[in-house]
Amino acid sequence: MNIKKKTIYKYGSVRLPLETGRTAWYNQKGSWRNTDIVERILVIDGNHVVFETAKYRYCIEFQEKERMAMGLAA
């Protein structure tokens, strides 16, 4: 039985490395927040990341300064 997960859309940055089996950390408006354990990583690119925890799918879109940092990290 497939259960549809609620998708959470955010703007900000993500602490790398993003790894399955660990919590994800993201910064939004100057505050760091963490998620539940990451079960699956769907997308990591220069514009955004998409990953899933047990209950949610997170889509975090980078703002301009985060895009530049991701480009330097790649």
Side-chain angles (χ1 to χ4, degrees):
M1 181 174 159
N2 260 346
I3 298 173
K4 185 169 176 137
K5 296 181 181 184
K6 180 179 176 182
T7 301
I8 298 174
Y9 295 95
K10 299 284 184 181
Y11 287 95
S13 60
V14 176
R15 184 178 295 166
L16 298 176
L18 180 62
E19 300 174 316
T20 57
R22 300 183 69 181
T23 59
W25 286 86
Y26 65 94
N27 188 314
Q28 185 178 34
K29 298 181 182 177
S31 296
W32 284 99
R33 305 172 198 280
N34 67 320
T35 67
D36 291 331
I37 300 295
V38 175
E39 292 185 345
R40 195 163 70 148
I41 299 169
L42 303 170
V43 177
I44 297 179
D45 66 21
N47 296 318
H48 68 292
V49 296
V50 180
F51 60 91
E52 292 182 342
T53 64
K55 296 181 181 179
Y56 301 103
R57 176 178 286 179
Y58 288 83
C59 179
I60 302 176
E61 186 171 333
F62 305 132
Q63 294 171 337
E64 189 62 33
K65 66 180 180 178
E66 286 83 11
R67 281 191 193 115
M68 291 174 63
M70 285 296 290
L72 293 174

